Amino acid sequence: DMKVTQMPRYLIKRMGENVLLECGQDMSHETMYWYRQDPGLGLQLIYISYDVDSNSEGDIPKGYRVSRKKREHFSLILDSAKTNQTSVYFCASAPGQNYAEQFFGPGTRLTVL
Amino acid sequence: AQSVTQPDARVTVSEGASLQLRCKYSYSGTPYLFWYVQYPRQGLQLLLKYYSGDPVVQGVNGFEAEFSKSNSSFHLRKASVHWSDSAVYFCVLSAPNTNKVVFGTGTRLQVLP
């Protein structure tokens, strides 16, 4: 079953707390992504990972970092979360060079108070 | 630079009516083009894709799109919409032989019963 999973689905944190969002995929895809989605802004790319320990900044990496120690798992970390990081975060994966044929997870709704 | 424009933020149609969602792109060559759909509280799902060849491509659930190089467009169509088609639709461009993927800002479709 081809699937991208995200945990948790909902999260409430206070400003200054650390946040860990986790993403898994069972398709052995090399490439994985983290996006955030805000009303009226569409999807914004935070980070892209081409494989284990091969990560690149996307369009809005400030305030975020990522970790990919296994091909099937990609984490997004917010050190000292800020209120403007309240958003819906999506993880996606793509096979090989087909960067635009992405499989998306269900999203994590993060609220930073 | 590549870009994708979806000029209609919202479209409302009645059930059974035909539908066209517009997408215009900017790219110097022939891009790869995609449409994704996002149902409420879900991640994006690939609807259809165009790489080359026949400019009319078929997708799932009766959707099709037509590529026009002369008009730099990739409009999405459906002959008869159903209330369950209510969702947000994203047009996406991928530059061949690169990892660059550009998302449009989306068109929210509301189908009235």
Side-chain angles (χ1 to χ4, degrees), chain B residues 1 5-7 15 17 22 24 34-35 51 54 56 59 66 72 76 86 89-90 94-95 98 111:
Chain B
T5 301
Q6 295 181 247
E15 194 168 27
R22 296 184 291 162
K24 299 276 286 184
F34 307 80
W35 277 97
Y51 284 103
D54 189 339
V56 179
E66 183 168 5
S72 298
L76 182 70
S86 296
Y89 292 80
F90 291 91
S94 173
T98 76
V111 180

Coordinates of all heavy atoms in Angstrom, one line a residue, chain B residues 1 5-7 15 17 22 24 34-35 51 54 56 59 66 72 76 86 89-90 94-95 98 111:
Chain B
A1 N 12.6 32.8 -15.3 CA 12.1 32.0 -14.1 C 10.8 31.4 -14.5 O 10.0 31.9 -15.2 CB 12.0 32.9 -12.9
T5 N 0.3 30.5 -12.9 CA -0.8 31.4 -12.4 C -2.1 30.7 -12.6 O -2.5 30.2 -13.7 CB -0.8 32.7 -13.3 OG1 0.5 33.4 -13.2 CG2 -1.9 33.6 -12.8
Q6 N -2.8 30.7 -11.5 CA -4.2 30.2 -11.5 C -5.1 31.5 -11.3 O -5.1 31.9 -10.1 CB -4.5 29.1 -10.5 CG -3.7 27.9 -10.8 CD -3.9 26.8 -9.8 OE1 -3.0 26.4 -9.1 NE2 -5.1 26.3 -9.8
P7 N -5.6 32.1 -12.3 CA -6.2 33.4 -12.1 C -7.5 33.4 -11.3 O -7.9 34.5 -10.8 CB -6.5 33.8 -13.6 CG -6.6 32.5 -14.3 CD -5.7 31.6 -13.7
E15 N -24.0 21.5 -9.8 CA -23.8 20.1 -10.1 C -24.4 19.7 -11.5 O -25.5 20.2 -11.9 CB -24.5 19.2 -9.1 CG -24.1 17.7 -9.1 CD -24.6 17.0 -7.9 OE1 -25.6 17.4 -7.3 OE2 -23.9 16.0 -7.5
A17 N -23.0 20.8 -14.3 CA -22.5 21.7 -15.3 C -21.1 21.3 -15.7 O -20.4 20.5 -15.0 CB -22.5 23.1 -14.6
R22 N -8.6 27.3 -15.0 CA -7.6 27.9 -15.8 C -6.2 27.8 -15.2 O -6.1 28.0 -14.0 CB -7.9 29.3 -16.2 CG -9.1 29.5 -17.1 CD -9.3 30.9 -17.5 NE -9.7 31.8 -16.4 CZ -9.6 33.1 -16.4 NH1 -9.1 33.7 -17.5 NH2 -9.9 33.8 -15.4
K24 N -2.2 29.1 -16.3 CA -1.2 29.7 -17.3 C 0.2 29.5 -16.7 O 0.4 29.7 -15.5 CB -1.5 31.2 -17.5 CG -2.9 31.5 -18.1 CD -2.9 31.3 -19.6 CE -2.2 32.5 -20.2 NZ -2.3 32.4 -21.7
F34 N 1.1 19.4 -14.4 CA 0.4 18.5 -13.5 C -0.8 19.2 -12.9 O -0.8 20.4 -12.8 CB 1.2 17.9 -12.4 CG 2.5 17.3 -12.8 CD1 3.6 18.1 -13.1 CD2 2.6 15.9 -12.9 CE1 4.8 17.6 -13.5 CE2 3.8 15.4 -13.3 CZ 4.9 16.2 -13.6
W35 N -1.9 18.5 -12.6 CA -2.9 19.0 -11.8 C -3.1 18.1 -10.6 O -3.1 16.9 -10.7 CB -4.3 19.0 -12.5 CG -4.5 20.2 -13.4 CD1 -4.3 20.3 -14.7 CD2 -5.0 21.5 -13.0 NE1 -4.6 21.6 -15.2 CE2 -5.0 22.3 -14.1 CE3 -5.4 22.0 -11.7 CZ2 -5.5 23.6 -14.1 CZ3 -5.8 23.3 -11.7 CH2 -5.9 24.1 -12.8
Y51 N 3.6 15.1 -20.0 CA 5.0 15.1 -20.3 C 5.3 15.5 -21.7 O 6.1 16.4 -22.0 CB 5.6 13.8 -20.0 CG 5.8 13.5 -18.5 CD1 4.9 12.7 -17.8 CD2 6.8 14.2 -17.8 CE1 5.1 12.4 -16.5 CE2 7.0 13.9 -16.4 CZ 6.1 13.1 -15.8 OH 6.2 12.9 -14.4
D54 N 0.3 13.8 -27.1 CA -1.1 14.3 -27.2 C -1.3 15.4 -26.2 O -1.2 15.2 -25.0 CB -2.1 13.1 -27.0 CG -3.5 13.4 -27.3 OD1 -3.9 14.6 -27.3 OD2 -4.3 12.5 -27.5
V56 N -4.0 16.6 -25.1 CA -5.1 16.3 -24.2 C -4.8 15.1 -23.4 O -4.6 14.0 -23.9 CB -6.5 16.2 -25.0 CG1 -7.6 15.9 -24.0 CG2 -6.8 17.4 -25.8
G59 N -7.4 12.2 -16.9 CA -7.1 11.9 -15.5 C -8.1 11.0 -14.8 O -9.0 10.5 -15.5
E66 N -5.8 20.1 -21.2 CA -5.3 20.4 -22.5 C -4.1 21.3 -22.4 O -4.2 22.4 -21.9 CB -6.3 20.9 -23.5 CG -5.8 21.1 -24.9 CD -6.8 21.3 -25.9 OE1 -8.0 21.5 -25.5 OE2 -6.5 21.4 -27.1
S72 N 0.5 29.0 -23.6 CA 1.2 28.8 -22.3 C 0.1 28.4 -21.3 O 0.1 29.0 -20.2 CB 2.0 30.0 -21.9 OG 3.0 30.3 -22.8
L76 N -7.8 22.7 -17.0 CA -8.5 21.5 -16.5 C -9.9 21.6 -16.8 O -10.6 22.6 -16.7 CB -8.3 21.4 -15.0 CG -8.8 20.1 -14.3 CD1 -8.0 18.9 -14.7 CD2 -8.8 20.3 -12.8
S86 N -16.0 19.1 -5.2 CA -15.6 20.3 -4.4 C -14.3 20.1 -3.7 O -14.2 19.1 -2.9 CB -16.7 20.6 -3.4 OG -18.0 20.9 -4.0
Y89 N -7.9 22.8 -6.3 CA -7.1 22.3 -7.4 C -5.9 23.1 -7.7 O -6.0 24.3 -7.8 CB -8.0 22.2 -8.7 CG -9.2 21.2 -8.5 CD1 -10.3 21.6 -7.8 CD2 -9.1 20.0 -9.1 CE1 -11.4 20.7 -7.7 CE2 -10.1 19.1 -8.9 CZ -11.2 19.4 -8.2 OH -12.3 18.5 -8.1
F90 N -4.8 22.4 -7.8 CA -3.5 23.1 -8.0 C -2.9 22.7 -9.3 O -2.8 21.5 -9.6 CB -2.5 22.6 -6.9 CG -2.8 23.2 -5.5 CD1 -3.6 22.4 -4.6 CD2 -2.4 24.4 -5.1 CE1 -3.9 22.9 -3.4 CE2 -2.7 24.9 -3.8 CZ -3.5 24.1 -3.0
S94 N 6.8 21.5 -13.7 CA 8.1 20.9 -13.4 C 9.0 21.2 -14.6 O 8.6 20.9 -15.7 CB 8.0 19.4 -13.1 OG 9.3 18.8 -13.0
A95 N 10.2 21.7 -14.3 CA 11.2 22.0 -15.4 C 11.9 20.7 -15.7 O 12.5 20.1 -14.8 CB 12.1 23.1 -15.0
T98 N 15.4 19.0 -14.2 CA 15.8 19.8 -13.0 C 14.9 19.3 -11.9 O 14.0 18.5 -12.1 CB 15.6 21.3 -13.2 OG1 14.2 21.6 -13.1 CG2 16.1 21.8 -14.5
V111 N -19.1 23.1 -5.7 CA -20.1 22.6 -6.6 C -21.4 22.6 -5.8 O -21.6 22.0 -4.7 CB -19.8 21.1 -7.0 CG1 -21.0 20.6 -7.9 CG2 -18.5 21.1 -7.8

